[in-house]
Amino acid sequence: MGWSRARTIQVAGAGPDWTNTVRKGRTRSEFDAVTAEADASLPSDKTQCALQGLGGSSLSIFVLYTPYHISEYTMPESLRRVLVTGGAGYIGSHVIYSLQDTRRYKVISVDNHHNSTPKSLVRVAELARSNLPADASEQDKDSAEIDAFAADLTKPEEVRKVFERYGKGGIWGVVHIAAYKAVGESTEIPLTYYANNVGATITLLQIMAEFDCTRIVYSSSATVYGTPPIIPIPETTRLEAQSPYGKTKIMCETVIEDLCNAEPKTWRALSLRYFNPAGAHPSGQIGEDPRGRPGNLLPLLAHMAIGRVKDPKLNVFGNDYPTPDGTCVRDYLHVLDLAKGHLLALDALAPQSKVFDNCPGEGRYKAYNLGKGKGMSVLQIVDAMRKATAYDYKYEIIGRRKGDVPDLTADPALAERELGFKAQQTLETMCRDLWNWQTKNPNGYDGDGSVGFGIFWSNTADRSTGSVVMLR
Ligand SMILES: O=c1ccn([C@@H]2O[C@H](COP(=O)(O)OP(=O)(O)O[C@H]3O[C@H](CO)[C@H](O)[C@H](O)[C@H]3O)[C@@H](O)[C@H]2O)c(=O)[nH]1
């Protein structure tokens, strides 16, 4: 049974004693408290009162049983506040898009813009507004706006300020995406990676606990598997990352799992091990906008085709791997499929979820692969991008890149079975959408002078502006 939040319910047909008996229930324990309050306020001849919240996708139904009255009330479920760290980045912006598209969430973004720009959030909110139906309610309109904070997760005082704005129990859950993510760089500045990825995650969890926010979806990575012994890779594979970056992902998973085991009645968490996200929203409004020369294959190919990277040919890192054409194989999935996985994971954190039923102990923690389960080699990717862009890529095989592993292909069966996750979109669609984004935004978000409009740096959550509201 799901327990949903309610503000005030007027109990029709009952005397004044009943009015406003049920109020501000956000958590199960608050509901228990208001139920007890309702019991206590019953006239003595009405001996039983039970309040049930039945969580539906868009409605909460509250039923009040007494020997004399059975009153049923339906009301739109309030928006669930979900805080997304790294919200302005490539993955974060697409996750926010997907959350807003449901009109069930109120998104709070926290980002330090180390590798992103708040302009992406303006675009996301524009998309959300344009997706609203003509008869959108005030709540729907509210769901299309983002409370965006410029804050650094390594600074507890900055994170605490964000949570203070919504109060205890005011944030339903967190999707924690923010992290440094360059494998090569992590070998050069490991301390920065451990501080920014592991330290920040611990700070975030501590502050979440302070504010009774104990649901988290964590962005992990296929890199936790190192060189996996079995392809496709099941989640049961031992974790053995080779780079400091990969190790930070294992450490954060471990910290979160330990917390769930220590406080099984309080915490619920899912780690999502991303394989290789690619593509962009089909509108071309949001996409990947790496700072400087892209290190990853697909954005690099897009930058070559648009002329931002002027290299005459692509360096292919090795063709002597034990793969069909000798080049590395990766499991590319569309970024919107990946984003959808976060929605499913958030749903799986709800009280009625069954995903934790088969956990080995009491702790409610699990990790899922998010991939297609289909490996593609570097040369296949070059070919697909050639078709999408009509650019005549030249390439040269050079030596292996340090840290590369031959094949990272997911076994996505567990996520499909338990979360209902399926990465449907094809490689052609990923390349088409990437190229659409790149041609519409040859210089990424920097090329758009107009998108600065609509960002309000303010000390108050002014939702009346109809814009992304930046708070700090
Ligand atoms: O100029 C290039 C760039 C890449 N590649 C090859 O293309 C493949 C994909 O490389 P990417 O850099 O695009 O992606 P990775 O699989 O190396 O890494 C990505 O996926 C990982 C998980 O699979 C981690 O999450 C990591 O942070 C993320 O960048 C690799 O075989 C790489 O050797 C080239 O041949 N030439």
Side-chain angles (χ1 to χ4, degrees):
M1 176 170 300
W3 291 79
S4 303
R5 74 180 78 144
R7 289 202 179 94
T8 300
I9 300 172
Q10 176 90 19
V11 181
D17 288 354
W18 291 78
T19 305
N20 297 338
T21 301
V22 184
R23 60 180 184 271
K24 287 184 188 159
R26 283 207 182 94
T27 62
R28 176 60 199 265
S29 58
E30 283 183 59
F31 267 104
D32 288 343
V34 291
T35 304
E37 196 187 333
D39 276 329
S41 71
L42 271 173
S44 55
D45 59 336
K46 296 180 176 128
T47 51
Q48 283 292 310
C49 172
L51 174 71
Q52 299 187 346
L54 308 174
S57 61
S58 62
L59 287 180
S60 292
I61 304 170
F62 298 90
V63 188
L64 194 62
Y65 296 95
T66 78
Y68 298 98
H69 306 280
I70 299 181
S71 308
E72 237 180 69
Y73 303 91
T74 63
M75 56 187 280
E77 190 174 355
S78 322
L79 297 177
R80 276 180 177 169
R81 284 199 201 100
V82 169
L83 186 148
V84 180
T85 73
Y90 171 46
I91 312 286
S93 55
H94 287 84
V95 168
I96 292 180
Y97 168 81
S98 299
L99 288 168
Q100 291 190 303
D101 203 37
T102 67
R103 306 202 298 277
R104 287 198 284 136
Y105 297 99
K106 175 72 192 179
V107 176
I108 302 156
S109 167
V110 172
D111 202 301
N112 66 359
H113 306 128
H114 168 81
N115 188 29
S116 66
T117 161
K119 291 176 184 177
S120 63
L121 295 174
V122 176
R123 299 265 189 105
V124 180
E126 277 169 7
L127 280 174
R129 267 178 242 130
S130 66
N131 286 346
L132 286 174
D135 62 348
S137 65
E138 284 308 307
Q139 180 167 299
D140 288 340
K141 288 179 191 159
D142 191 26
S143 76
E145 306 306 325
I146 303 163
D147 285 357
F149 293 83
D152 186 333
L153 294 181
T154 61
K155 300 196 173 121
E157 64 285 1
E158 293 191 11
V159 184
R160 193 170 285 110
K161 261 192 199 160
V162 176
F163 278 84
E164 272 167 0
R165 194 175 285 270
Y166 302 97
K168 264 191 192 255
I171 297 178
W172 188 85
V174 169
V175 179
H176 179 32
I177 302 173
Y180 288 172
K181 59 164 192 167
V183 176
E185 185 185 62
S186 77
T187 63
E188 289 153 22
I189 47 169
L191 279 185
T192 306
Y193 270 69
Y194 289 117
N196 194 67
N197 293 5
V198 185
T201 300
I202 294 170
T203 300
L204 175 68
L205 292 166
Q206 285 169 329
I207 293 171
M208 285 173 66
E210 271 176 45
F211 287 87
D212 288 348
C213 175
T214 52
R215 298 181 189 95
I216 185 164
V217 173
Y218 175 65
S219 294
S220 188
S221 163
T223 197
V224 296
Y225 296 120
T227 305
I230 309 169
I231 302 291
I233 311 164
E235 285 84 350
T236 47
T237 306
R238 89 283 171 275
L239 305 185
E240 201 178 88
Q242 278 141 14
S243 68
Y245 161 70
K247 288 175 192 166
T248 68
K249 292 285 160 188
I250 297 179
M251 286 181 191
C252 290
E253 282 200 23
T254 309
V255 168
I256 295 170
E257 182 174 11
D258 285 349
L259 181 59
C260 291
N261 287 331
E263 297 183 41
K265 298 214 176 341
T266 310
W267 284 87
R268 288 165 177 252
L270 293 176
S271 289
L272 302 179
R273 295 176 183 156
Y274 304 167
F275 282 69
N276 287 51
H281 187 276
S283 66
Q285 285 297 295
I286 53 174
E288 188 170 10
D289 186 19
R291 295 238 161 115
R293 189 182 196 279
N296 296 122
L297 181 60
L298 274 159
L300 177 61
L301 291 170
H303 279 213
M304 285 172 76
I306 205 76
R308 266 173 85 177
V309 168
K310 303 205 183 305
D311 302 4
K313 51 196 171 194
L314 173 79
N315 287 331
V316 173
F317 300 134
N319 68 347
D320 56 350
Y321 286 99
T323 59
D325 65 19
T327 65
C328 289
V329 167
R330 296 288 179 269
D331 185 347
Y332 298 87
L333 76 161
H334 198 289
V335 66
L336 281 181
D337 282 336
L338 181 80
K340 181 82 190 306
H342 294 71
L343 288 183
L344 297 167
L346 276 175
D347 283 343
L349 296 183
Q352 65 270 27
S353 158
K354 301 264 174 259
V355 302
F356 301 108
D357 288 0
N358 57 5
C359 283
E362 266 197 286
R364 292 180 295 193
Y365 171 83
K366 267 199 169 172
Y368 291 102
N369 287 339
L370 294 188
K372 270 179 84 69
K374 194 160 186 243
M376 291 285 166
S377 74
V378 176
L379 296 184
Q380 283 175 304
I381 295 295
V382 173
D383 215 37
M385 279 299 280
R386 186 179 286 121
K387 288 192 183 108
T389 63
Y391 182 81
D392 184 21
Y393 292 102
K394 308 272 186 275
Y395 67 85
E396 182 183 0
I397 310 287
I398 63 161
R400 292 182 176 194
R401 183 171 69 176
K402 208 174 146 209
D404 274 347
V405 301
D407 191 338
L408 281 176
T409 302
D411 177 346
L414 188 69
E416 182 172 352
R417 198 166 58 241
E418 297 192 355
L419 297 180
F421 174 78
K422 196 150 180 60
Q424 313 257 18
Q425 304 209 51
T426 61
L427 181 62
E428 287 66 39
T429 312
M430 294 176 224
C431 294
R432 180 202 69 194
D433 291 344
L434 167 60
W435 186 232
N436 182 46
W437 149 256
Q438 201 66 75
T439 48
K440 286 186 171 150
N441 305 273
N443 295 308
Y445 292 109
D446 275 351
D448 186 344
S450 69
V451 299
F453 291 117
I455 301 183
F456 288 78
W457 293 90
S458 144
N459 286 321
T460 54
D462 178 8
R463 308 230 167 83
S464 62
T465 55
S467 300
V468 175
V469 180
M470 300 297 286
L471 306 160
R472 60 178 175 182

